[in-house]
Amino acid sequence: MSSSTSNVVAITGHGSFITLQSHVLAEERRHPEATGTLSWIISALAISAKTIAAKLKRARLEDVLGEIGSENVQGEQQQKLDVIANTVLLRVLQSRDGVAVLGSEENDELLHVDAEGGRHYSVMFDPLDGSSNLDVGGSVGTIFSIYRVAEGRGSTLLPGREQVAAGYVLYGSSTIFVMTSGSGVHMFVLDPSIGAFIRVAEHLQVPARGSTYSVNEANLASFPEGYQRFLAQCRDTGFSSRYAGAMVADVHRVLIKGGVFLYPPTAKAPNGKLRLMYEANPMAWLIEQAGGAASTGRGRILDVQPEELHQRVPVILGSRDTVADLMSCLA
Ligand code: AHG
Ligand code: MN
Ligand code: MN
């Protein structure tokens, strides 16, 4: 046999076999000042994601689909699984050193935790995004956003540009974990046979231009005129339309294939529907880190000064040049 590597047996379909955990540890090693606290928080999110993925798979069998009969602070009907996913995340995150503040779509107020550990962090999350897809077996997700908080300033909400890590989990045909901590966007897929997220792509880049738009077009008549003009222009130039009704699934498509995801102001929701702290900001940072653009239609999402945990903001996320075309229609 020759001395080449041809006799090395490939153990997975993709060569590297780097887990999420080893990826995070390697990133940490590049920052000598790191205390390891942030890595622990990301590992807590990975465990939560695996737990939620397992619960979702058995949801119909365990009869945990449907509404629970209560509303969250935003007046939305909570699904049983919204509450289950929220409980998983709260339990796992509260037990980690360094988590000082938790902010969830499903809790009225910020939760303050007695934090131990070197540095203190706040974690904002949407435990289950797109939960109206649950009853029909559609894709749903989890979104998270992490900030470093100064001692005694845990109640201060910071703008998205201050995030130190952000990401989402897509529970679809596979369970996909996408994250950034400021040095590119990396993607991991859960291998259920070994219970680990395996890195499948590094430094993802949103194509500079796309030809798919993702928007709830039933609201078209009440979008500001610039959006209507942009969408008409898209239709005239051969765009296709895709809308899952779960931001995680729709933004994931934009990240991989390009195009634009929109939730504009509507008559019913003058600031759009999506929430700044745990939907817009983490997705905006991911898209920007991948070379795309993220705007409210008036300015950069990441520069919006937050006023309250559940505040809403219009959202435009997508390919750099496609977003630029929309911005000229809005100008
Ligand atoms: P959630 O399930 O966390 O409340 O989020 C639903 C959001 C988002 O995922 C999606 O893009 C949007 O709502 C869909 O809203 P419409 O049904 O108004 O299109
Ligand atoms: Mn959501
Ligand atoms: Mn949700």
Side-chain angles (χ1 to χ4, degrees), residues 97-161:
D97 285 355
V99 176
V101 181
L102 294 168
S104 166
E105 180 190 347
E106 304 303 337
N107 292 101
D108 303 4
E109 309 276 352
L110 290 174
L111 299 168
H112 295 266
V113 185
D114 280 334
E116 288 171 21
R119 286 219 176 92
H120 292 175
Y121 292 90
S122 71
V123 187
M124 307 289 144
F125 53 88
D126 177 352
L128 259 197
D129 173 65
S131 50
S132 69
N133 278 357
L134 287 166
D135 288 350
V136 297
S139 291
V140 292
T142 294
I143 313 175
F144 63 88
S145 165
I146 307 178
Y147 295 83
R148 198 169 280 151
V149 291
E151 198 83 57
R153 310 261 340 230
S155 302
T156 313
L157 297 171
L158 296 169
R161 61 171 184 269

Side-chain angles (χ1 to χ4, degrees), residues 85-305:
N86 193 39
T87 308
V88 168
L89 280 155
L90 291 176
R91 276 204 195 135
V92 179
L93 285 165
Q94 270 172 353
S95 67
R96 291 291 159 118
D97 285 355
V99 176
V101 181
L102 294 168
S104 166
E105 180 190 347
E106 304 303 337
N107 292 101
D108 303 4
E109 309 276 352
L110 290 174
L111 299 168
H112 295 266
V113 185
D114 280 334
E116 288 171 21
R119 286 219 176 92
H120 292 175
Y121 292 90
S122 71
V123 187
M124 307 289 144
F125 53 88
D126 177 352
L128 259 197
D129 173 65
S131 50
S132 69
N133 278 357
L134 287 166
D135 288 350
V136 297
S139 291
V140 292
T142 294
I143 313 175
F144 63 88
S145 165
I146 307 178
Y147 295 83
R148 198 169 280 151
V149 291
E151 198 83 57
R153 310 261 340 230
S155 302
T156 313
L157 297 171
L158 296 169
R161 61 171 184 269
E162 304 278 350
Q163 291 171 101
V164 295
Y168 61 77
V169 188
L170 170 61
Y171 310 99
S173 52
S174 57
T175 301
I176 299 175
F177 192 108
V178 173
M179 67 159 288
T180 184
S181 54
S183 50
V185 178
H186 313 297
M187 177 160 84
F188 307 81
V189 172
L190 181 62
D191 181 340
S193 64
I194 57 169
F197 282 103
I198 305 297
R199 191 171 72 199
V200 295
E202 283 183 276
H203 299 286
L204 288 171
Q205 285 290 307
V206 187
R209 188 167 274 293
S211 54
T212 303
Y213 63 73
S214 189
V215 65
N216 187 339
E217 232 166 341
N219 298 326
L220 184 72
S222 77
F223 292 161
E225 204 226 316
Y227 287 92
Q228 299 195 27
R229 231 173 324 121
F230 169 75
L231 291 168
Q233 188 178 297
C234 291
R235 285 190 296 272
D236 289 347
T237 53
F239 269 59
S240 202
S241 134
R242 291 285 183 276
Y243 194 66
M247 181 190 203
V248 170
D250 286 318
V251 173
H252 187 65
R253 186 186 323 96
V254 169
L255 179 68
I256 305 291
K257 299 205 165 174
V260 63
F261 168 85
L262 310 171
Y263 209 109
T266 64
K268 211 170 98 193
N271 289 317
K273 177 185 178 188
L274 299 174
R275 279 64 51 108
L276 176 66
M277 295 307 291
Y278 43 80
E279 292 177 320
N281 271 335
M283 291 309 205
W285 197 32
L286 286 163
I287 290 291
E288 283 199 7
Q289 277 284 314
S295 171
T296 64
R298 304 213 151 142
R300 199 175 166 226
I301 290 175
L302 297 180
D303 286 335
V304 175
Q305 185 59 48

Side-chain angles (χ1 to χ4, degrees), residues 48-67:
S48 306
K50 289 183 224 174
T51 310
I52 294 168
K55 295 209 181 284
L56 289 169
K57 281 219 172 65
R58 297 189 46 83
R60 165 81 51 194
L61 302 172
E62 287 175 5
D63 196 23
V64 288
L65 290 176
E67 290 172 351

